[in-house]
């Protein structure tokens, strides 16, 4: 490392330890560390890494603030103080310097403080002893790669947070691309609400859209089916008549299908993922209606009948009611979604943009639930990463703001998924609207520029490895820049993500006004195509 061997005092001392409180310290900056306008690299500044000798080790800290409280800048006897957070310590081994988090011995008051050099910074960010992939450059020195450890990143969930236009989608794509380059037989499911990620994974992804998605109605749980059929996201107890009818008839339809020899005999519940015919369900519904004497008792039955008929005839719901002949295609559905076998396409991109907006959260609920249950009932571990773009839409903090089963299953994955090999990636531009409990389970967070004070405070309060000084920089980060904290990185770091070539970037839907307003090329045929897609979606 720069500045001599461990335990030796470096020649470039810039200050002395003035006070110690837990993992925070205050440094009295010496004349040698004063800022010189002729030398922009002189002095201490926020974000800089310093080192302090302790016994035979170096303790490293991150400068979070520099102040001059006693006099004006021009005063010859003014004192400058720097605040820092301790990051960890490095010692010499047979293979060279090795950094680790945590401090075994805290520096004493009066200990000399030096600015860390290039070799020191490289040691701190090296992620020694772990398999890593490079995703960019550290802010301190663009010759030093910013690396993440995939096992820790995926094994304990991660999040990518940032305002609109900060490069959040590109950062997400970059992280996944670098992981896939090292792990070509991965299993990733990416929920894409804006149809933007397919170009970033061309040739590597199985793209599923509204025309090719298969989620048969018999795979839905009672809550999910009720939300589609009854067009409500209210709890089941708030529509007891229809729910009781639906529960009884679905179980009876499943047993009827089983009795015809299409399914092996097993205990059946309303949530058992086995096929049944909608025609059987409708027939049973008609039979029940024929047994009723009072017309007012027919109301819930008539509502169910009309809604089921409307769904079967609605082209937007073809992903639920595809084909005339009923078949048990669960194996094919799971194989395609989870890439088993991988067959050169380790990622499935589920394009949600063309699906009915009123049941979008229900679809995410089904996808999240079968991901978790597939891992739960697997006899061998097949690790799966579920990436939720626009996660605040499915995991809102506010009660009643979304489909509760969706929120419940994603929260369950956040809490229990790693036991069964399911990892979660939450991507959001509105972290303050995201469920705090789920975000707190993400042990690694990439926080990009956030200008909202509410978002900043929320992120700071939920981060697993928070460094206050770094988080104060959130409003000032450049596009493509992030503060990374948590288990997936060696220490909290400010990094600039690598730039992706145009052909490997997500397709941005943001209009370039200055370019589009230079041309008058919109034709009547374009208007007609918009109307067609509009009507198909509604």
């Amino acid at each position: 490392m720069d500045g001599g061997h461990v335990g030796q005092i470096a020649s470039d001392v810039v200050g002395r330890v003035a006070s110690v409180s837990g993992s925070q310290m205050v440094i009295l900056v010496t004349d040698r560390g004063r800022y010189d306008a002729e030398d922009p690299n002189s002095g201490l500044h926020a974000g800089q890494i310093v080192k302090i000798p302790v016994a035979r080790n170096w303790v490293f800290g991150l400068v979070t603030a520099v102040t001059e409280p006693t006099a004006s800048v021009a005063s010859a006897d003014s004192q400058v103080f720097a605040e820092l957070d301790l990051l960890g310590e490095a010692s010499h081994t047979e293979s060279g310097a090795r950094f680790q988090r945590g401090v075994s011995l805290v520096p004493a008051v009066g200990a000399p403080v030096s600015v860390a050099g290039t070799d020191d910074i490289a040691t701190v960010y090296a992620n020694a002893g772990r398999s890593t992939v490079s995703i960019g450059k550290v802010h301190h020195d663009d010759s030093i790669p910013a690396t993440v450890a995939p096992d820790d990143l995926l094994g304990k969930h991660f999040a990518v947070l940032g305002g609109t236009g900060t490069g959040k989608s590109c950062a997400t794509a970059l992280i996944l691309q670098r992981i896939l380059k090292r792990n070509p037989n991965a299993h990733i499911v990416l929920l894409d609400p804006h149809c933007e990620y397919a170009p970033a994974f061309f040739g590597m992804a199985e793209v599923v859209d509204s025309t090719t998605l298969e989620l048969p109605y018999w795979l839905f749980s009672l809550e999910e089916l009720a939300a589609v059929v009854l067009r409500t996201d209210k709890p089941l107890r708030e529509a007891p008549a229809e729910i009781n009818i639906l529960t009884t008839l679905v179980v009876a339809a499943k047993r009827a299908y089983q009795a015809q020899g299409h399914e092996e005999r097993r205990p059946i519940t309303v949530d058992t993922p086995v096929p049944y015919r909608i025609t059987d369900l409708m027939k049973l519904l008609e039979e029940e209606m024929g047994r009723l004497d009072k017309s007012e008792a027919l109301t819930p039955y008539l509502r169910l009948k009309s809604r089921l008929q409307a769904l079967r005839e609605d082209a937007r719901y073809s992903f639920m009611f595809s084909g005339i002949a009923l078949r048990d295609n669960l194996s094919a559905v799971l194989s395609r979604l989870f890439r088993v076998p991988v067959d050169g396409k380790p990622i499935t991109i589920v394009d949600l943009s063309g699906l009915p907006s009123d049941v979008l959260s229900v679809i995410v609920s089904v996808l999240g639930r079968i991901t978790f249950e597939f891992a739960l009932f697997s006899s061998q571990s097949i690790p799966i990463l579920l990436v939720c773009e626009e996660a605040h839409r499915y995991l809102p903090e506010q009660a009643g703001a979304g489909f509760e089963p969706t929120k419940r299953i994603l929260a369950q994955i956040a809490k229990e998924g790693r036991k069964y090999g399911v990892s979660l990636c939450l991507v959001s531009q509105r972290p303050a609207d995201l469920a705090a409990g789920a975000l707190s389970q993400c042990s690694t967070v990439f926080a990009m520029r956030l200008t909202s004070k509410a978002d900043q405070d929320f992120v700071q309060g939920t981060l697993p490895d928070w460094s206050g000084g770094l988080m104060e920089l959130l409003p000032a980060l450049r596009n493509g820049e992030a503060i990374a904290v948590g288990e997936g990185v060696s220490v909290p770091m400010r990094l600039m993500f690598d730039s992706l070539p145009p052909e490997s970037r997500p397709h941005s839907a943001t209009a370039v006004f200055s370019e589009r307003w230079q041309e008058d090329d919109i034709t009547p045929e374009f208007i007609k195509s918009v109307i067609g897609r509009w009507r198909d979606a509604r």
Side-chain angles (χ1 to χ4, degrees), residues 56-126:
R56 297 187 59 81
N57 296 339
W58 285 110
V59 169
F60 288 88
L62 178 72
V63 177
T64 58
V66 180
T67 59
E68 189 172 18
T70 59
S72 66
V73 174
S75 175
D77 58 353
S78 63
Q79 292 182 318
V80 176
F81 292 90
E83 301 173 18
L84 64 85
D85 290 337
L86 296 181
L87 298 175
E89 62 186 15
S91 58
H92 274 291
T93 65
E94 292 182 359
S95 58
R98 184 184 180 89
F99 175 85
Q100 60 182 3
R101 289 189 183 189
V103 176
S104 58
L105 291 174
V106 178
V109 171
V113 180
S114 307
V115 175
T118 299
D119 291 344
D120 297 315
I121 296 172
T123 298
V124 170
Y125 290 122

Side-chain angles (χ1 to χ4, degrees), residues 8 19 96 99 183 232 241 257 312 356 373 378 435 453:
Q8 293 181 344
S19 69
F99 175 85
N183 305 275
T232 178
Y257 185 80
R312 294 178 67 186
E373 292 181 353
S378 293
K453 188 65 166 60

